[in-house]
Amino acid sequence: MSQWKKPDEILRLQRLKQKQKALQARIQRPSGIGVAASSVQESDPFSGSQKRKNPFAKNENNVTKKQKQFDPDVTNDESIFELLNKATPKEIPVIDLPATKPLETRFLDSHHQLVINQADPHETPEELNKPCKHIPIHWGIKNRLRIVCKSSLPGNNLRTNQEASGLTSFVRCIGIKDSSVGLDISPGARFYQSTLYWQHPHLPWLTLFPRNAKSNHGTVLGEAERSALGKEWAISFQNLFQLVRARQCPYFYVCANSFTVLFRAAGIGGRVETHALLAPTSRGMRAALKQEDIEFTMPLKKTQEKQEMNRSGESGISVNNGSFSNSSEDQTANTVPDEDEDDDDMEEEKWLESLGVEAEEIKKINYYQTKKQQNRECEDDYSDQSTVLIEGVECQAFFNFLLNAKSTTTKVGRLAGVPPTLLAPVAFVGATLRTLTTRSSKIRMDGEDYHSTELQGVILPHVLPYLCGLLAETKDNFSTTLVSIPSTTVFSRVSQKMIDDTDKENEATAIGDQVLWKENLSDSGLSEHILEAMCRASKDSVNDLERLVYCKEAGGYTWS
């Protein structure tokens, strides 16, 4: 017994039969496409009665001539050969675009397809291929780095003495070219040295970075375990902060569940004092900082929004502190006592009462005004614009805030009771020595064989310039590809903005300061050329890197 068919199924079968019959007609009679199509329509039982002629239609002969010239729907052999035998590609003139938009070069290839070559909107063609001798610092944490080179890389098949020498030189902070200590300074040992870092706490059954990892299942810590972890973390955090203040550690990260903090020593990034970058933040966190009398700036916040904050004074936050400011330029504006604003509010209420407005309506107006103020203050929450910069003596207060705040360690979720992760390039009290996962392989691209080495784990900012300096000594060409943790890429943007906002008297003073800062950080455990790159305060000293290419003949590095 045949099944009942739904209307949509009948229509689908109808279209399928029409396509099959049309294809057969084209194969058998390629010159009579229109006749075949009409005959199929007449013989089709599902097509119904034949459509009447449209009196407003154009002349069929003209339409047929246009179809013969170029009809993409025609699939017979004659039309295909006509397309292939047409003239050479036509060039479409480039339209002048504003400087803010990317430049495009458009042309038609041999198959009449539009090809668009699009350039970076922030770079001119001359800057794209201009090599640079130094590598910009990327202050975000990477979780994957891949190096590709034609010749073998030094990380393959390390010997026992290479691993031992690399470990010893990393722990003792020995220079990579210092052969007076009797250690192995071969490229393999120095490569292994770049794969090490320090972390606290380290719980092997938990993934503590990134903190939102989904691999932490069924972890429950008791009250005794949580208390012990908290005490050990406080000791480690205090020791690490003291190392940064003493310039014996260039930087370190504090990675909590909802935010990340980058502490940097004086001299790093051209800043004369110890400073910290906090991202992302919320209105509540900024209110808590204000309540502790911690002054901060928001470098990425728009100027117009800063002015609005100045006028409002963040009156919606229920804390009393007149000395707080959202930017260094706003300190004088916010030092005005709040009594004037209260008096203005009272005068507005009295004026509304004099107009006969009821007290309930006045309360509603005040409520909606306060709500609008709060919404405006929360617009940038958890975005790059909410990044906070804390400098100088305020860093000590901020350190005490993180040390004592109960919200630093989450009480719910998979990592409940586990304090934030501390990551640093030098040893500190309670730190665990960790290593990156290294995997080497051979790949084939464009008919040529290449050697590939991939690093996975916590890749700190000093690793890339260290490896590039090592490979540039023995390799003529190589390329690196990086994958960054999204929540930490904002640190590069803020660092570049801080450099752009810093006013230098002259270039000679800037170079002199850079040399001084590098000398002050000489005991921080990093090599001279890495410290020089971190202390540099020029336009191209910081960049959000995704791909880096080195060519010895071209004279340096190019990146994107």
Side-chain angles (χ1 to χ4, degrees), residues 43-57:
S43 59
D44 190 358
F46 297 99
S47 61
S49 59
Q50 188 176 359
K51 293 183 180 180
R52 65 184 181 86
K53 185 177 179 181
N54 186 1
F56 300 101

Side-chain angles (χ1 to χ4, degrees), residues 4 15 34 100 108 110 214 220 259 268-269 282-283 287 291 324 472 478 484 516:
W4 289 95
R15 296 192 191 99
T100 56
L108 292 173
S110 59
K214 298 181 180 180
V220 179
F259 62 87
I268 299 295
S282 62
R283 178 176 175 274
Q291 198 167 17
F324 172 80
F478 64 86
S484 301
L516 178 62

Side-chain angles (χ1 to χ4, degrees), residues 86 129 138 146 206 251 316 351 369 393 421 437-438:
K86 280 199 171 184
N129 299 323
H138 184 274
R146 186 181 186 185
L206 292 178
Y251 66 91
W351 179 70
Q369 186 176 1
V393 294
T421 306
T437 303
T438 306

Side-chain angles (χ1 to χ4, degrees), residues 222-241:
E223 192 61 32
E225 291 83 358
R226 296 185 184 188
S227 177
L229 285 174
K231 290 180 181 179
E232 291 294 325
W233 183 83
I235 296 172
S236 298
F237 184 32
Q238 184 175 4
N239 177 254
L240 195 51
F241 182 71

Side-chain angles (χ1 to χ4, degrees), residues 332-348:
T332 56
N334 286 331
T335 54
V336 180
D338 295 336
E339 296 178 358
D340 295 341
E341 296 180 1
D342 295 339
D343 293 340
D344 293 340
D345 294 339
M346 292 296 295
E347 291 179 0
E348 291 178 1

Side-chain angles (χ1 to χ4, degrees), residues 282-302:
S282 62
R283 178 176 175 274
M285 181 178 290
R286 296 191 294 272
L289 294 177
K290 180 178 177 180
Q291 198 167 17
E292 296 295 329
D293 294 339
I294 301 174
E295 295 185 359
F296 59 83
T297 60
M298 302 176 70
L300 297 182
K301 199 169 184 65
K302 297 179 181 179

Side-chain angles (χ1 to χ4, degrees), residues 7-20:
D8 56 349
E9 195 172 350
I10 294 175
L11 292 174
R12 184 178 62 81
L13 293 175
Q14 175 185 357
R15 296 192 191 99
L16 183 61
K17 288 183 179 181
Q18 287 180 350
K19 290 180 180 179
Q20 290 177 351

Side-chain angles (χ1 to χ4, degrees), residues 40-264:
V40 170
Q41 185 178 2
E42 290 176 0
S43 59
D44 190 358
F46 297 99
S47 61
S49 59
Q50 188 176 359
K51 293 183 180 180
R52 65 184 181 86
K53 185 177 179 181
N54 186 1
F56 300 101
K58 294 182 180 180
N59 191 0
E60 295 180 359
N61 297 330
N62 297 334
V63 176
T64 307
K65 290 180 181 179
K66 291 182 180 180
Q67 287 181 351
K68 287 182 179 180
Q69 290 178 1
F70 181 80
D71 189 358
D73 296 330
V74 177
T75 57
N76 57 14
D77 297 339
E78 293 180 359
S79 59
I80 292 175
F81 282 109
E82 286 179 4
L83 291 175
L84 293 176
N85 294 330
K86 280 199 171 184
T88 56
K90 297 181 181 178
E91 288 192 359
I92 299 177
V94 180
I95 302 174
D96 293 333
L97 299 176
T100 56
K101 295 185 179 180
L103 299 176
E104 295 181 353
T105 304
R106 303 175 177 227
F107 61 95
L108 292 173
D109 60 5
S110 59
H111 299 286
H112 296 270
Q113 295 179 351
L114 183 62
V115 179
I116 301 176
N117 292 334
Q118 187 170 355
D120 196 322
H122 303 290
E123 295 177 345
T124 60
E126 291 79 8
E127 293 176 347
L128 289 173
N129 299 323
K130 186 178 180 181
C132 187
K133 292 184 178 180
H134 69 268
I135 306 171
I137 297 295
H138 184 274
W139 284 106
I141 302 177
K142 277 74 67 179
N143 60 355
R144 185 173 299 176
L145 187 151
R146 186 181 186 185
I147 306 172
V148 178
C149 185
K150 286 188 176 182
S151 57
S152 179
L153 294 167
N156 301 335
N157 301 323
L158 294 175
R159 298 190 299 272
T160 302
N161 62 328
Q162 290 178 330
E163 290 190 8
S165 297
L167 176 62
T168 303
S169 59
F170 176 77
V171 174
R172 298 180 184 177
C173 298
I174 299 175
I176 58 176
K177 296 183 179 180
D178 188 2
S179 59
S180 60
V181 293
L183 297 175
D184 187 351
I185 59 171
S186 63
R190 292 159 59 186
F191 183 90
Y192 183 73
Q193 182 178 350
S194 67
T195 63
L196 302 172
Y197 65 97
W198 298 95
Q199 174 182 327
H200 177 86
H202 172 55
L203 305 176
W205 62 92
L206 292 178
T207 302
L208 297 183
F209 187 82
R211 299 285 292 191
N212 58 354
K214 298 181 180 180
S215 58
N216 299 321
H217 297 289
T219 302
V220 179
L221 297 178
E223 192 61 32
E225 291 83 358
R226 296 185 184 188
S227 177
L229 285 174
K231 290 180 181 179
E232 291 294 325
W233 183 83
I235 296 172
S236 298
F237 184 32
Q238 184 175 4
N239 177 254
L240 195 51
F241 182 71
Q242 291 173 351
L243 289 174
V244 168
R245 290 187 62 189
R247 299 187 183 94
Q248 294 180 3
C249 175
Y251 66 91
F252 72 92
Y253 290 87
V254 181
C255 306
N257 283 25
S258 58
F259 62 87
T260 305
V261 185
L262 170 60
F263 283 92
R264 301 196 301 191

